[in-house]
Structure formats: structure tokens, C-alpha cells
Amino acid sequence: MQPARLETAPPWAVLIAGLAVLGFVFHSEISAAVWVWVYSTAYNHCFLILPMAAWLAWQRRSALAHATARPTILPLPAALGLGVVWFAADRLGIMEGRQLAAIGFVQLLVLSVLGWRAYRALAAPLLYLFFLVPFGGFLVPLLQAFTTHFVVHGLDLLGIPNFNDGNTIEIPEGSFYIATACAGLRFLIAAIAFSVFYACVIYRSLSRRLLFIGVSLFVPVIANGLRCLGIVWLGHVLGSASAAATDHVLYGYLFFSIVLILLILLGLAFREDLSPEHALPTPRTPHGAAPSARCLVPAGTVIVAAALFPILAIGINQAAAATRPAPPTLFASCTKAPAASETVRRFTCSEQALTVTLAAFSPRSDPKLVLDTERVLAGQNVPEAETRPLAVPGATPEQWQLVIAGTPPVITASALWIDGAPAQGGLRTRWRQALNSLFGGRYPPLVVALRAEGTPSEAIDRLTSFLASGRIGPAVQRYLDQASFVR
């Protein structure tokens, strides 16, 4: 038997090689996703997505057998548009956007190499790969607010006296705080991923799949509200808020498991998986594999489009790194600690028993670098860190971000300056710094983080007192106005 020649070999080798190249191009996105999978309980289930997608592909092997590979360059405009989306997400510092774009390039690579018929046969497992992206964090404030209102209305119906202040609920037996971990994101994201997989396995009709997925979106949110209401009610019955909150995370997993089992049983009543898989019509052309040579050009166009904008971003970041601001030297009354880096300064203020850390960046720095540094200095990178706003009248700015992280807890208040003025974060701040990264700016972005140890109440009091003294704002403004840059 003679070995297959290049022009008669199947296109799978080209597809595998293309996926390997995309893996290299988007290695930062992959490593960032895996880090979140490992350290965030809301996304531990992402390790199961690839095996589940493989199972969905195996289920569709009969339909794939009827599909002839037909390479096409039609996805090229979509690849360029997706590259623009990746670049916009990169300049805005939104890693989830970059990761979604990376998965989009995987879709386009498969489509360009195998063609529309084969892609249609593999659509379910390929689209399921989007669940590899740890997205949904922006829903936490909305879920917190919904859960808080759900518990408050539930307590009113049960006749239990309560007082609500933000996400804190007080009853005569004690106080309960609806933390970010209690918002229900981990249950919602896992339920969505499972419901889509379950619907693709059990149902054949699109209407039943969409109906089951819709129910699975609604049920975990309500179930999480009932769980939190049950914990507060148990505190009322036991006469102790702390006793009711003991092992509430374990109870949450057990409760979610019961809800998931009920969803499965509900879905089984309308199952269609016993019917044969709908095979695609037999193609008019003879069944066979497309030559690899015909796959090279479509695959190459997608890969070039995928690599073009990351290369451009690297060039912009290198230009920003060539110029850096002089180190901040702000607090003469505090002891300057050893520098963490060339543009980071740390001051120990023993009188207030706290540490002040400042990090300055080139005006052309991308927002992700600035915001990631703020997350690290504030302690938000610690698993299960709790974040809440801290209002300090008379301080500059008056709104700070408070983070409680670690055991024993370390309390940090942080703020960010963009374009020489305090910034509250969010998309507007990202947009302003994204423009600076492209066109430059006068003022260096600056992160200020104040850290205190001890009990949360004592540490928060020290931080609030130091911020209310008015020392931070004027000192930061002097530095920004006189900032010089070195190469």
C-alpha cells in the first residue's frame, strides 16, 4: 500500500495543525481561562466542557459521515471582523472578550477547512466550546440585588421583622450579608452549561431545547433566592445568625444538586433521544475527503487574520513599555518600604498601622495591565475575596473599593486615577484608557491601595480615618501634575 499523497490526504491534519497555531496565538487567553477554572468555584465545571463537547461530537458521527469536506474562504470577512472584536476587547482590557473571539476563530477554522455541511453536523459540540470561557462575572451585582430583594420580600411574607441596607439584611437575631459568593453565579453558570448539554442529548427539536434551556435559566436564580431565604429563616428559628450561616456553602451545593436532579427528571418526561439522529442528506458529489492542499489557503487566511491584531497589540504595548513614569514619592510622614518594582512604591504608616501602595503606568498602557494591577494590590485575586463599595465623605475620591480577603482577613481600600482624575472603573474608564493606549495622554494612570490588618471593623475604621484626613487626594494630584517620564 502506497502512502497517501498530500493532494489526496484528508484535511484533518491541516485542521489539527491550524488548531495548534491558534493555541499558540491565543496562549494568553488559554492560560487566563485555566487559571480562573482552577481558582474560582464558579467555573470549576469548565474542566468538563471539552469531554462533554467530545461526547456530543461522537453522538453526531453518523451525520458527519454523510458530509463531504468542502474548504471555503467565505469566512475570511468574518475572520477580519472577529480580529477587530479581539483588538477592541484587548484595548478595553476585557479578557472574556478576547477569549470569546479566540473560540470564534476556532469555529471559523473548522468552517473554512471542512465547509458548511460538515460544520453543520458538528455545530452543537463546536458551539458548546464557548462555555470554556469563564464569562458572566458582570451579572454578580444584578444577582446580589435580586437575591437581596427576594429574601426581603420572603421575610415580609413570613412576618419576620427585617431591615435592608444595600445587600445587608438585619433581623432581630442578627445580620446577614448577601456576598458575591451568595449571589448564585456559580449555580447559574453551571446550570446553563449543563442544560445546554442535556438539551442537545435528550431533545431533537429546537423548540424543546430552547424551552428547557429557558427553564434552566430561571430555576437556579429562584432556587438560590429560596436557599438564602431559608438560611435567614433558620437564623430566626435558631435565634442566632451565625449558627444558621455555619456550613451554608455545603448546604448550597446539596440544594443545587437537588434542583439539578429535579430538572433532569422534568426533562425526561419530554425526551426525544430514543428517535434516530437526523442524518443530513447524502451529498450529490461522491463521498470522500477534500485534498489537504485545498484546505491550506482557507486555513491560512483564518490564521493570518487571527494573528494580525495580536501582533499589532504587542507593538503598541512595547511602545508603552519604552516610556514609564517616575516613581511616586508622596508621603514624607510615612516610611518608604522597598520598591516592589520601578514604578511601584510602598509606604508604611505606623501611626495608622496601615500600608499605602502606589503604582504608576505609562499613559499608553492597556487597561488590562492597570486594572489587573489594581486587582492584585487590592487583594481581589485571592479566592473568595469579598468586594464592596466604601464611601468616605471628604476624601478624594469619596468612593473607594473595599476588599476583604484571606484568613486572617486583610482589608484593602483602593482607587484609580485616569487622565489625572479619579475613575470609578466600568466600561467608561476602560474606554478612556483604551483611547490613551492608542493615542497617548498627559497623565499616567495611578493605582492607590491602602491595606490594614486586624478585625474587619477595626481595619475599616483605620482606613476610613486615614482617607477622611484628606492626605491622599492632594498628594496624588501633586504627583500627577509634576509627573515626569523616563526611558
Side-chain angles (χ1 to χ4, degrees):
M1 180 180 296
Q2 295 181 351
R5 295 177 299 172
L6 175 64
E7 61 269 23
T8 60
W12 298 107
V14 176
L15 182 60
I16 293 173
L19 291 174
V21 175
L22 288 182
F24 174 77
V25 171
F26 299 116
H27 67 277
S28 296
E29 287 79 358
I30 295 173
S31 61
V34 173
W35 189 92
V36 175
W37 300 350
V38 172
Y39 292 103
S40 174
T41 56
Y43 300 102
N44 293 154
H45 68 276
C46 288
F47 284 105
L48 301 175
I49 298 301
L50 281 176
M52 294 166 77
W55 170 252
L56 291 176
W58 175 254
Q59 271 203 323
R60 285 150 180 78
R61 62 191 182 279
S62 60
L64 184 62
H66 289 79
T68 300
R70 294 171 178 255
T72 175
I73 61 171
L74 291 180
L76 178 57
L80 293 174
L82 200 57
V84 172
V85 171
W86 182 95
F87 185 75
D90 176 72
R91 290 301 90 192
L92 291 172
I94 304 176
M95 176 55 74
E96 294 87 345
R98 291 169 52 180
Q99 292 164 340
L100 290 171
I103 297 296
F105 276 111
V106 171
Q107 312 290 317
L108 294 180
L109 179 66
V110 175
L111 176 59
S112 64
V113 173
L114 300 183
W116 291 98
R117 186 181 296 272
Y119 181 86
R120 179 186 170 191
L122 292 172
L126 286 173
L127 294 176
Y128 196 70
L129 295 179
F130 279 103
F131 284 108
L132 291 170
V133 178
F135 63 92
F138 63 93
L139 294 173
V140 169
L142 296 176
L143 293 173
Q144 278 182 286
F146 175 84
T147 304
T148 301
H149 290 305
F150 188 96
V151 173
V152 169
H153 289 302
L155 293 174
D156 291 339
L157 291 175
L158 294 173
I160 300 175
N162 65 88
F163 173 75
N164 169 227
D165 182 16
N167 293 321
T168 300
I169 301 173
E170 296 184 11
I171 61 174
E173 292 73 21
S175 299
F176 294 85
Y177 179 71
I178 307 297
T180 55
C182 301
L185 179 67
R186 69 184 73 176
F187 300 147
L188 178 61
I189 297 297
I192 295 174
F194 171 79
S195 66
V196 172
F197 174 80
Y198 186 80
C200 289
V201 172
I202 297 298
Y203 304 120
R204 295 289 170 257
S205 64
L206 180 62
S207 59
R208 293 196 185 191
R209 287 175 174 174
L210 293 178
L211 179 60
F212 182 80
I213 294 172
V215 171
S216 300
L217 291 174
F218 176 76
V219 170
V221 177
I222 299 299
N224 185 67
L226 290 172
R227 178 184 71 89
C228 293
L229 175 60
I231 292 173
V232 179
W233 173 82
L234 186 61
H236 173 71
V237 173
L238 297 177
S240 171
S242 58
T246 303
D247 294 331
H248 72 283
V249 175
L250 176 61
Y251 298 151
Y253 281 114
L254 293 176
F255 187 73
F256 177 68
S257 299
I258 295 173
V259 170
L260 208 58
I261 292 173
L262 293 177
L263 277 175
I264 292 173
L265 295 177
L266 175 65
L268 285 176
F270 308 96
R271 65 189 298 175
E272 297 176 305
D273 60 317
L274 297 180
S275 61
E277 177 72 41
H278 296 296
L280 296 177
T282 303
R284 297 180 180 178
T285 57
H287 174 69
S292 291
R294 291 170 50 196
C295 304
L296 291 176
V297 173
T301 56
V302 172
I303 291 173
V304 169
L308 178 63
F309 291 95
I311 292 174
L312 177 60
I314 291 174
I316 295 174
N317 292 338
Q318 288 179 345
T323 301
R324 63 181 185 275
T329 54
L330 303 179
F331 299 99
S333 60
C334 299
T335 303
K336 187 165 62 176
S341 71
E342 293 182 344
T343 57
V344 176
R345 285 294 180 269
R346 184 169 289 116
F347 301 86
T348 302
C349 304
S350 56
E351 181 181 347
Q352 290 81 15
L354 54 84
T355 302
V356 182
T357 303
L358 304 104
F361 306 85
S362 165
R364 298 198 62 177
S365 298
D366 68 279
K368 185 178 185 303
L369 173 63
V370 179
L371 296 174
D372 283 355
T373 301
E374 183 186 20
R375 285 176 54 83
V376 172
L377 294 181
Q380 288 181 279
N381 59 324
V382 177
E384 307 301 331
E386 181 61 40
T387 303
R388 63 182 74 171
L390 176 65
V392 184
T396 303
E398 292 191 349
Q399 192 75 16
W400 290 69
Q401 182 174 251
L402 186 70
V403 177
I404 304 174
T407 305
V410 175
I411 317 300
T412 307
S414 64
L416 174 67
W417 273 257
I418 299 290
D419 284 338
Q424 295 301 324
L427 189 58
R428 178 178 297 181
T429 296
R430 292 176 180 271
W431 174 253
R432 287 163 55 189
Q433 186 55 35
L435 293 178
N436 289 340
S437 72
L438 294 174
F439 306 109
R442 175 186 174 187
Y443 299 100
L446 184 69
V447 173
V448 178
L450 291 77
R451 189 173 96 170
E453 300 181 7
T455 63
S457 59
E458 294 176 351
I460 293 174
D461 287 342
R462 292 202 306 272
L463 291 173
T464 303
S465 176
F466 184 81
L467 292 173
S469 67
R471 299 176 60 190
I472 292 289
V476 167
Q477 199 60 51
R478 283 196 305 270
Y479 169 73
L480 293 175
D481 291 338
Q482 300 171 6
S484 58
F485 298 91
V486 298
R487 290 184 179 272

